[in-house]
Amino acid sequence: MDIVKILAIAGSATLLFLVLELIRRGRLKERYSLLWLFSGIVLLVLSLSRSLLEYFSRLIGIYYPPSLLFLIAFVFLLLITLHFSAVISGLSEKDKRLTQEIALLHQAVEEIKQSSMEQVKSLDE
């Protein structure tokens, strides 16, 4: 077994272990972990099966099969980044809306305070 295969297996297994551990500890939600789990499994399967890795690399036209692992990892990282960008955009919009609602509620509370102060002053007179 060559060093590249050992490193690929170790890296894929470590990725899977870390994702599962983060899920178990509640630090990573299941819906965000699906792409991580899928990428770790694909990388692990391709790392374990040299013939499968060589088949797919020949199919795509890649001459050095381990570089297919890097290509797959890069594509998954792009997908994960795109997914998180969409989530962050949605959260940013919700944050903006909530900030506006809080400002309106704060203004309404101030107006109620102001009108109640005026009513107390008019009762005192």
Side-chain angles (χ1 to χ4, degrees), residues 36-79:
W36 286 108
L37 287 171
F38 185 67
S39 65
I41 290 169
V42 167
L43 290 173
L44 185 62
V45 166
L46 289 175
S47 299
L48 288 171
S49 173
R50 182 75 177 207
S51 61
L52 190 62
L53 181 63
E54 288 174 356
Y55 171 75
F56 282 121
S57 62
R58 268 186 273 121
L59 188 69
I60 296 173
I62 296 175
Y63 296 106
Y64 184 60
S67 61
L68 177 63
L69 294 174
F70 292 108
L71 176 65
I72 291 171
F74 180 72
V75 168
F76 276 117
L77 288 176
L78 282 177
L79 289 173

Side-chain angles (χ1 to χ4, degrees), residues 2-116:
D2 62 342
I3 190 72
V4 175
K5 186 172 183 176
I6 293 170
L7 288 175
I9 292 170
S12 302
T14 302
L15 174 67
L16 279 174
F17 174 76
L18 287 174
V19 170
L20 291 173
E21 188 64 21
L22 288 171
I23 293 169
R24 187 183 71 78
R25 291 183 182 201
R27 303 213 38 206
L28 181 63
K29 299 288 182 192
E30 290 85 6
R31 70 182 200 185
Y32 299 126
S33 66
L34 292 178
L35 277 172
W36 286 108
L37 287 171
F38 185 67
S39 65
I41 290 169
V42 167
L43 290 173
L44 185 62
V45 166
L46 289 175
S47 299
L48 288 171
S49 173
R50 182 75 177 207
S51 61
L52 190 62
L53 181 63
E54 288 174 356
Y55 171 75
F56 282 121
S57 62
R58 268 186 273 121
L59 188 69
I60 296 173
I62 296 175
Y63 296 106
Y64 184 60
S67 61
L68 177 63
L69 294 174
F70 292 108
L71 176 65
I72 291 171
F74 180 72
V75 168
F76 276 117
L77 288 176
L78 282 177
L79 289 173
I80 289 167
T81 304
L82 178 65
H83 173 71
F84 284 144
S85 295
V87 169
I88 289 170
S89 295
L91 290 175
S92 175
E93 193 60 37
K94 286 180 183 178
D95 185 47
K96 178 181 166 185
R97 199 169 340 133
L98 286 172
T99 303
Q100 291 171 344
E101 287 179 18
I102 288 171
L104 290 172
L105 288 171
H106 183 67
Q107 181 183 7
V109 167
E110 290 299 319
E111 288 173 359
I112 291 171
K113 280 183 185 178
Q114 198 69 11
S115 67
S116 65

